[in-house]
Amino acid sequence: MRFLVDFIGELREVGIGVSMVEAVDAAAALDHIDLLDRDQVRATLAATLIKSSRHLEAFDIAFDAFFATRPRPFDGPESQGAEPPAGGSAGSGGIGGGGTDDDTDLMEALFRAVDAANDDLLQAVVRAAVGRFGGMESGRPVGGTYYAYRVARGLDLDALRRRLEAVGESDGESALDRRLRLQEVGRVVERLRDMIRREITRRLVADRGHLPVAKTMRRPLAEDIDLTTATRDDLQRIERAVQPLTRKLAARVARRRRTGLEGRLDVRRTVRRSLSTGGALAEPRFRKPRPGRPDIVVLADVSGSVATFARFTMQLVHAVSSQLRRVRAFAFIDAIDEVTGHFRPGTDLAAAMARVGTEARVVWVDGHSNYGHAFAQFVEQHLGAVTPTTTVIITGDARTNYHDPHTEALATIASRARAVYWLNPEDRRYWDTGDSVIGLYAPLCEAVYEVRNLRQLERFVETISVLRRDPARVVA
């Protein structure tokens, strides 16, 4: 039970919410399965502890660290990181038909194992490869990712992929058959990478214990990745997460607007109802609420450092646009232009942002951010977009490249708007350092938020979509 509690604690550290009831359900479910069957344990814990498919990757990493199989006495020397034994063949389950000291023989054995779908041989090759190329040393403070990179490079998995892709290639092959064949090769190579990662994890756990290994292998959830420093792989993970997230967000906002509002007291109906209780006002009645639909204007800095953040802000705001009266979007760098037409329903937002970069007139002089000029131009050309019912959302790091911030222009916008919110994707520690002037703009806004990931952005969009009263001015 202590082990299960530690595992649930690790999931919570990663950011996966696990309630007490779910933990009790997981413990009860384990009583009904074979605990020696690792796949059953994995499926049972995933079914009881995970509520979103987005969290399965993080769950698998934690599971592999906590439930890694320890080397057994009969696993053989290659399982302990030593060189593989000599001899053996594909048919007999060995790792090569020639000299095992030669890396070429190991890669040839790997190809035969994959091509013949021989799992026993493949597992043996993976163990030998980790021992030969991983360079793992007891107690060395290096993460599993580094070892996996060394093994993948030693096996030359790209060359293996090309060799597998050439198998079955023919002149008469249809485009569909070719596509299916390449997809199958990609799946096989990814499975091989996964086997390498699990073998490395198994050895690390045997050397250091599951808790330290799990800590070093943690990967942030897609919704917790910093949008301004996300790598290409991180952005692909965010892309996969954002589409279902927008649908859930739209449904949640619609539900809150239907059920979360309460109308004013209906005195006439309350008095009439009190007749059934002898005149006691025991059951007050309320008028049917008529919630207003916010009018949103987005001013987004789309310069290089914050363009990714602006893109996902646009995506979430437009996801809930059916619950809003109107959404108008403006993009700027050192000039501002309306881009509402680029974000019509059904539009591919990634392509839309690319069009904004090439078609919108967002560059005035040198293409470096100039918030002051952008705000002044907005006041001069687009101030009519802001009415007393409009909520203005500004996204950007407020770095003006030492240009005039023109705070009077933002003051003019704020005086006409219902509320102005500023979303700053930059770490709060760097606010008002260098050319950042967020401290000058903050007093003109209802709130300035540090919003650096998808989870914070989702929470803000949901709040602003159901907000009925203006909050006190804060910097959060």
Side-chain angles (χ1 to χ4, degrees), residues 39 104 306:
D39 291 337
T104 303
V306 292

Side-chain angles (χ1 to χ4, degrees), residues 47-312:
T48 52
L49 301 178
I50 301 300
K51 296 179 283 295
S52 171
S53 59
R54 303 195 310 272
H55 300 161
L56 280 177
E57 182 182 4
F59 170 85
D60 285 340
I61 292 174
F63 184 89
D64 287 341
F66 272 75
F67 295 88
T69 55
R70 304 297 180 94
R72 296 163 296 181
F74 48 83
D75 273 349
E78 70 276 13
S79 70
Q80 308 298 327
E83 289 297 317
S89 65
S92 63
I95 60 172
T100 54
D101 293 336
D102 191 341
D103 295 348
T104 303
D105 291 341
L106 188 61
M107 288 184 277
E108 182 63 25
L110 175 63
F111 173 76
R112 290 204 305 272
V114 173
D115 189 45
N118 187 332
D119 283 347
D120 292 338
L121 176 58
L122 187 58
Q123 188 64 51
V125 172
V126 167
R127 288 179 178 175
V130 171
R132 179 175 298 180
F133 301 119
M136 301 177 69
E137 300 176 8
S138 178
R140 189 181 179 188
V142 178
T145 303
Y146 172 72
Y147 294 128
Y149 165 75
R150 284 177 58 97
V151 175
R153 187 182 62 177
L155 288 174
D156 198 356
L157 294 186
D158 291 335
L160 175 67
R161 177 191 289 269
R162 291 192 295 271
R163 193 174 175 187
L164 291 172
E165 288 177 350
V167 175
E169 191 174 20
S170 63
D171 294 337
E173 186 180 27
S174 68
L176 177 60
D177 290 340
R178 173 180 170 76
R179 180 179 175 183
L180 293 175
R181 180 170 54 80
L182 296 183
Q183 286 182 348
E184 177 61 19
V185 170
R187 188 189 65 77
V188 168
V189 173
E190 286 305 312
R191 178 170 177 264
L192 178 58
R193 291 183 186 276
D194 190 54
M195 292 177 68
I196 293 172
R197 182 179 62 81
R198 292 186 179 184
E199 176 60 21
I200 292 172
T201 301
R202 186 175 71 93
R203 298 187 183 204
L204 289 174
V205 170
D207 179 52
R208 306 170 194 177
H210 57 271
L211 279 175
V213 173
K215 186 175 181 180
T216 60
M217 294 180 64
R218 285 174 190 163
R219 291 186 67 187
L221 302 179
E223 52 264 45
D224 293 325
I225 296 174
D226 191 325
L227 293 173
T228 59
T229 59
T231 64
R232 178 176 299 180
D233 290 342
D234 290 337
L235 289 177
Q236 290 177 350
R237 293 176 59 202
I238 296 173
E239 284 285 358
R240 291 194 294 270
V242 76
Q243 283 295 345
L245 189 66
T246 55
R247 291 194 293 271
K248 291 182 179 179
L249 176 62
R252 198 160 62 235
V253 168
R255 185 170 60 251
R256 287 188 60 180
R257 290 180 61 80
R258 285 196 307 270
T259 62
L261 300 177
E262 190 175 75
R264 298 171 58 185
L265 179 68
D266 189 332
V267 177
R268 178 177 297 180
R269 292 179 56 214
T270 300
V271 171
R272 187 183 305 134
R273 184 67 180 174
S274 69
L275 297 178
S276 63
T277 57
L281 303 178
E283 299 181 27
R285 289 291 185 265
F286 297 90
R287 298 182 186 276
K288 186 177 180 180
R290 296 180 179 178
R293 304 177 69 186
D295 179 4
I296 301 291
V297 168
V298 180
L299 308 183
D301 180 359
V302 294
S303 61
S305 59
V306 292
T308 301
F309 177 73
R311 169 187 165 188
F312 288 113

